[in-house]
Amino acid sequence: MHGEYKVPGGKLVVVDLEVDDGRIAQFRLAGDFFLEPDTALEAINDAVNGLPVESDASVIATAVRDALPEGAQLLGFTPEAVGTVVRRALVTAPGWRDFDWEIVHDKAVSPAMNLALDEVLTSRVGEGRRRPTLRIWEWDGSAVVIGSFQSYRNEVDPEGAARHGFDVVRRISGGGAMLIPEGQIITYSLYVPASLVAGMTFADSYAFLDDFALQALRSLGIDAVYRPLNDIASSTGKIGGAAQKRLANGGVLHHASLSYDLDGQVMTEVLRIGREKLSDKGTTSAAKRVDPLRSQTGLSREEIIDRFIDTFRSLTAAEDGTVADDEYAAAEELVETKFSTDAWLHRVP
């Protein structure tokens, strides 16, 4: 069995192994990482050999960490990365280039329509009726997008939203509220089969799926980093956040919104951002938490989107595509029956 895992922001970790009587055997670790001393490599191999095949990533990581010689240095990978790649090998998880990818950057649609498309396209990928897809969103209006489990009244100031022209909608994924001023945010969705993230913890899959975006940002001169669980940031502040939803049919939705040019004062007037939420971010000002991409790059929103697309294409060999007419039709029906209804918007009052 063979497994590979590119550590987000790190190095490639590769393992080869066999299974003998329910236990890992003939395990060998390789990759372009750095490891000192040399004897640590055999220590890792010995630690994994003999483990039950049912061992999860955390058990494998603990075994590796306990076996490392004193003072060992792991650069570009971690014991957790070894655990992840072993699990991926055991379930024969595919990599990015094992799929036939599509990139969609279509017309601007309403906030509710964007959310409905997320559900439809994720479902289609899970059913095998659509290729795995990266979709760049375009908005025909401004919106506050609240997480699936957030309280409407706790998160949104309706008067502030109305005053600044923001529609309020609820998405199917969890996480926090996002302020989406028209033309000032870069939002993308990945619709992927669950097999792409097989063997990863839920948290690891976030960083894995957003790694192409970090690579794109770094190529523009931004020192982009991933801050668990779901923040994309730089040394000067938060850039954006990601969220996920996994469907029972095997489709995985991963989407992220990054601020291009955001007015922090408007954010505080539209969202009810409490002191408790800000306290663990090291600041008392919501306006200081978001650092727009325009100020860091001097580039237009379109130029940054083009770099995202080019980076993703270089990693996946993706082809240009579009949302099909029947997919738009299915999304329009969902807008009417779900995303534009008060029952959905206020399902958590």
Side-chain angles (χ1 to χ4, degrees), residues 231-242:
D231 281 355
I232 297 173
S234 73
S235 57
T236 58
K238 178 177 174 179
I239 297 171

Side-chain angles (χ1 to χ4, degrees), residues 101-123:
W101 289 89
E102 186 172 308
I103 297 173
V104 172
H105 190 193
D106 276 359
K107 63 185 180 181
V109 295
S110 70
M113 187 64 168
N114 268 316
L115 301 182
L117 282 171
D118 262 4
E119 183 167 338
V120 169
L121 299 183
T122 304
S123 181

Side-chain angles (χ1 to χ4, degrees), residues 7-8 11 18 23 44 94 124 140 149 153 158 168 180 190 239 249 261 279 295 334:
V7 179
K11 298 296 185 177
E18 295 185 10
R23 293 187 176 272
I44 294 174
R124 294 289 177 98
D140 70 0
F149 310 108
R153 64 170 171 249
V168 183
I180 313 290
L190 284 165
I239 297 171
N249 69 3
D261 187 13
S279 64
S295 67
L334 268 182

Side-chain angles (χ1 to χ4, degrees), residues 38-48 63-64 67-69:
D38 284 354
T39 55
L41 183 62
E42 283 306 313
I44 294 174
N45 290 338
D46 291 343
V48 178
V64 169
L68 289 171

